[in-house]
Amino acid sequence: MGYPKDAKLLIIHADDLGVSHSENEATIAAMEKGSVNSASIMVPTPWFSEIAAYATSHPTADFGLHLTLTSEWKHYKWGPLADAVPGLDNNNGFLYSSVDSVYQSASLAEVEKELRTQIEKAKHFGIDFTHFDSHMAALFGRQDYLKLLMQLGREYKVPVMLARTGPRSVFNQDLTSFVTDKDVLVDGIFTASPNDFKNGMDKFYTGVMNTIKPGLNILIIHTAYDDKEMQAVTIEHPDWGAAWRQADYNFFTSDACKKLLKDQNIRLVTWREVRDKLLR
Amino acid sequence: MGYPKDAKLLIIHADDLGVSHSENEATIAAMEKGSVNSASIMVPTPWFSEIAAYATSHPTADFGLHLTLTSEWKHYKWGPLADAVPGLDNNNGFLYSSVDSVYQSASLAEVEKELRTQIEKAKHFGIDFTHFDSHMAALFGRQDYLKLLMQLGREYKVPVMLARTGPRSVFNQDLTSFVTDKDVLVDGIFTASPNDFKNGMDKFYTGVMNTIKPGLNILIIHTAYDDKEMQAVTIEHPDWGAAWRQADYNFFTSDACKKLLKDQNIRLVTWREVRDKLLR
């Protein structure tokens, strides 16, 4: 990408746009005023139209698609967008809550139909998406799904959030022979666990910033407000819940975060830059 | 129904449950602590599961189905529940914003398929629905749609919100010969207009209460909080907007409302009572 070999490159990436007004509003604020510089959109969610309108009116903002096969919250649900994908439907008209249920029920053809419907809907709304990733990492846990995701990335000429190592490693699924030098592989992906949340998000993110290595790194976060809407969305689910998302918002709009990035010589890059320099 | 002929019977009916967490929460509060005694649920909405869980855990509460063919808000949308109903789809995967667009595009067979999908989903979730009505009155403006709605009411043995006169009059659509003595016809239906909102909701509702006539009457209202979520749902739409719904909530949880009902000898009845006495 034209950076020195020892450059510490980082994408600070907020997931789950579209899920709620709270998530949209907080993430937009964290991008405009804070250090978040990339985000991804869930096309089947109820607030998709709101973030699509923002994306098309802010064409330089960096938005990818958070391709979605699950609807995980208790009382607030969405269904698949494609017609006639019974293997993705939990028998209530909604996507399944868990990734395991998707793996047990959905055929690869149904997954492909649903992903293409989501991608084409985003295009139809005018979103110039910069990358693909996968909600709840559903597309990373099976070789056939991951191969499909990589094929879609090549077809639409956008990078997929794939890593060399860790849970999103393309090599976990024995796809070594499938990977080409056109596939972008990220050097490090970081995201907070429930344990990190318990120990304090500031501590976790400060630790990531202080130890980040040269190469292309991604920090996956979730920014929303700890408000009534988000509390109701995430009810009975403190992990990745409203307080968690507020803590992410607080850290990534703080001066402390900006200072850390500067002190550690971390250079923020976007998926748009990756896409346009490496794939187009 | 066994009341004296001069009894002033009233159902205070909140529409639009399921549309948002704010609408669900405020309406439940207005039913539990205020004077609202009936409400209707929109099955295709994102927060349907939340109100369905409440309805099944509160089996004596009076909930009907607000059968839905439209998705009218700017940035917050839902689609049809049935597969393969292109005439109900605005080409973005959502229901149309306006009733007129539905009339121009949807076939009667598509409308029937969608309504049956909504009704069966409500049954599948365990909702003991007490009546049917129609979001944005879409099913009242065409003879074929209204006949379908009445047939569904007969089939499921629930009353439909039909009036003898006014905009929801069954006689508007030249269905005189179709009406039987099994169809429940309401004597008066009242609901605030944008002009009434401008002049003050307290004034409007006090006027209704002070002039209500003997017979079965319905007051259609919309209770939600004027909070961030509801403001975002109803953005750029002050009519039936967040402040409107807060005003409804305020009046129908007030002591003034309770006093008026008492002073005017208004007797609150539910659709469940109507259904069980007249149709079952």
Side-chain angles (χ1 to χ4, degrees):
Chain A
M1 286 173 64
Y3 292 102
K5 262 213 145 165
D6 63 350
K8 295 186 274 188
L9 307 179
L10 180 63
I11 302 174
I12 301 179
H13 185 271
D15 283 12
D16 292 0
L17 287 183
V19 73
S20 67
H21 175 65
S22 179
E23 192 93 25
N24 288 348
E25 198 184 23
T27 305
I28 289 168
M31 293 176 88
E32 291 186 351
K33 302 183 298 186
S35 301
V36 178
N37 72 335
S38 182
S40 61
I41 297 172
M42 299 168 74
V43 185
T45 54
W47 288 94
F48 165 73
S49 295
E50 185 180 57
I51 196 66
Y54 181 85
T56 52
S57 63
H58 296 78
T60 61
D62 192 44
F63 292 112
L65 300 187
H66 201 48
L67 296 166
T68 301
L69 299 178
T70 47
S71 174
E72 71 273 32
W73 306 111
K74 184 172 183 190
H75 286 319
Y76 174 71
K77 310 298 283 182
W78 50 85
L81 293 186
D83 271 353
V85 285
L88 284 166
D89 185 322
N90 73 348
N91 299 320
N92 290 330
F94 305 129
L95 291 168
Y96 282 102
S97 296
S98 79
V99 173
D100 278 351
S101 299
V102 177
Y103 291 168
Q104 281 168 38
S105 305
S107 71
L108 185 65
E110 288 174 313
V111 171
E112 179 169 357
K113 189 176 180 185
E114 177 61 23
L115 298 185
R116 287 190 182 276
T117 305
Q118 293 181 18
I119 295 165
E120 286 301 315
K121 181 164 179 169
K123 277 186 70 172
H124 176 67
F125 270 74
I127 298 172
D128 176 31
F129 46 79
T130 59
H131 63 289
F132 290 157
D133 64 14
S134 170
H135 185 52
M136 296 169 70
L139 296 167
F140 292 99
R142 260 176 64 160
Q143 193 192 52
D144 53 348
Y145 287 22
L146 182 55
K147 210 167 159 180
L148 168 64
L149 177 62
M150 291 171 70
Q151 281 167 329
L152 289 169
R154 292 172 189 173
E155 181 179 332
Y156 286 93
K157 294 195 172 58
V158 295
V160 172
M161 197 184 281
L162 296 173
R164 290 185 202 285
T165 57
R168 280 176 181 74
S169 167
V170 68
F171 303 113
N172 291 347
Q173 298 297 338
D174 196 22
L175 283 175
T176 310
S177 63
F178 187 69
V179 177
T180 74
D181 57 6
K182 278 286 190 188
D183 295 306
V184 178
L185 299 186
V186 169
D187 299 295
I189 297 188
F190 305 91
T191 194
S193 69
N195 226 26
D196 298 321
F197 175 55
K198 269 182 214 118
N199 294 332
M201 288 301 208
D202 290 12
K203 189 177 160 192
F204 173 72
Y205 292 125
T206 303
V208 170
M209 305 276 194
N210 283 337
T211 56
I212 208 163
K213 293 196 180 107
L216 180 57
N217 298 282
I218 301 180
L219 187 46
I220 298 175
I221 63 168
H222 305 81
T223 35
Y225 297 122
D226 187 11
D227 58 12
K228 282 201 309 176
E229 180 196 14
M230 209 63 212
Q231 288 164 10
V233 168
T234 62
I235 192 167
E236 297 174 21
H237 205 295
D239 294 342
W240 294 275
W244 174 306
R245 290 166 197 248
Q246 179 76 53
D248 279 3
Y249 174 86
N250 292 349
F251 184 83
F252 289 96
T253 53
S254 70
D255 290 338
C257 174
K258 285 176 190 157
K259 186 170 182 306
L260 260 173
L261 291 168
K262 201 175 163 198
D263 290 350
Q264 292 294 339
N265 274 317
I266 295 168
R267 189 188 289 256
L268 296 183
V269 293
T270 61
W271 278 114
R272 172 168 279 110
E273 186 177 339
V274 174
R275 180 192 73 178
D276 294 350
K277 282 190 176 167
L278 301 183
L279 301 180
R280 293 203 173 168
Chain B
M1 286 174 63
Y3 292 102
K5 262 213 144 166
D6 62 349
K8 294 187 275 187
L9 307 179
L10 179 64
I11 301 173
I12 301 179
H13 186 272
D15 284 13
D16 291 1
L17 287 182
V19 73
S20 66
H21 175 66
S22 178
E23 192 95 25
N24 288 348
E25 197 184 23
T27 304
I28 288 168
M31 293 176 88
E32 292 186 349
K33 301 183 299 186
S35 302
V36 177
N37 72 336
S38 183
S40 61
I41 297 172
M42 299 168 74
V43 184
T45 54
W47 287 95
F48 165 73
S49 295
E50 184 180 58
I51 196 65
Y54 181 85
T56 53
S57 62
H58 295 77
T60 60
D62 192 44
F63 290 111
L65 299 186
H66 201 48
L67 296 166
T68 300
L69 298 177
T70 47
S71 176
E72 71 271 34
W73 306 112
K74 185 172 181 189
H75 285 319
Y76 174 72
K77 310 297 283 182
W78 50 85
L81 293 186
D83 270 353
V85 286
L88 283 167
D89 185 320
N90 73 348
N91 299 320
N92 289 329
F94 305 129
L95 291 167
Y96 282 102
S97 294
S98 79
V99 172
D100 279 352
S101 299
V102 178
Y103 291 168
Q104 282 167 38
S105 305
S107 70
L108 185 64
E110 289 175 312
V111 171
E112 178 168 357
K113 189 176 181 185
E114 177 60 24
L115 298 185
R116 286 189 182 277
T117 305
Q118 294 182 15
I119 295 166
E120 287 301 315
K121 181 164 180 172
K123 277 186 70 172
H124 177 66
F125 270 73
I127 299 173
D128 176 31
F129 47 79
T130 60
H131 64 287
F132 290 157
D133 64 13
S134 169
H135 186 53
M136 297 170 71
L139 297 167
F140 292 100
R142 260 177 64 161
Q143 193 193 49
D144 53 348
Y145 287 22
L146 183 54
K147 211 167 159 180
L148 167 64
L149 177 63
M150 292 171 70
Q151 281 167 328
L152 289 169
R154 291 172 190 173
E155 182 179 329
Y156 287 92
K157 292 195 172 56
V158 295
V160 173
M161 198 184 281
L162 296 172
R164 290 184 203 287
T165 57
R168 280 176 181 75
S169 167
V170 67
F171 303 113
N172 291 348
Q173 297 297 338
D174 196 21
L175 282 175
T176 310
S177 63
F178 186 69
V179 177
T180 72
D181 56 8
K182 279 284 192 187
D183 296 307
V184 177
L185 299 185
V186 168
D187 298 295
I189 297 187
F190 305 92
T191 194
S193 69
N195 226 25
D196 297 322
F197 175 56
K198 270 184 213 114
N199 295 330
M201 288 301 207
D202 289 13
K203 189 178 161 192
F204 173 71
Y205 293 126
T206 304
V208 170
M209 305 277 195
N210 282 337
T211 55
I212 210 164
K213 294 198 180 105
L216 179 58
N217 298 281
I218 301 181
L219 186 47
I220 298 175
I221 63 168
H222 305 82
T223 36
Y225 297 122
D226 187 11
D227 58 12
K228 280 200 311 175
E229 180 197 13
M230 208 64 212
Q231 287 163 12
V233 168
T234 61
I235 192 167
E236 296 173 23
H237 204 294
D239 294 343
W240 294 275
W244 175 306
R245 289 165 198 249
Q246 179 77 53
D248 278 4
Y249 175 86
N250 292 349
F251 184 82
F252 289 98
T253 53
S254 70
D255 290 337
C257 174
K258 286 175 188 154
K259 186 170 183 306
L260 260 173
L261 291 167
K262 200 176 164 198
D263 291 350
Q264 293 294 339
N265 275 316
I266 294 170
R267 188 188 290 255
L268 294 184
V269 293
T270 62
W271 277 114
R272 173 168 277 113
E273 185 178 341
V274 173
R275 180 192 72 176
D276 293 349
K277 282 188 176 169
L278 301 183
L279 299 180
R280 293 201 174 168

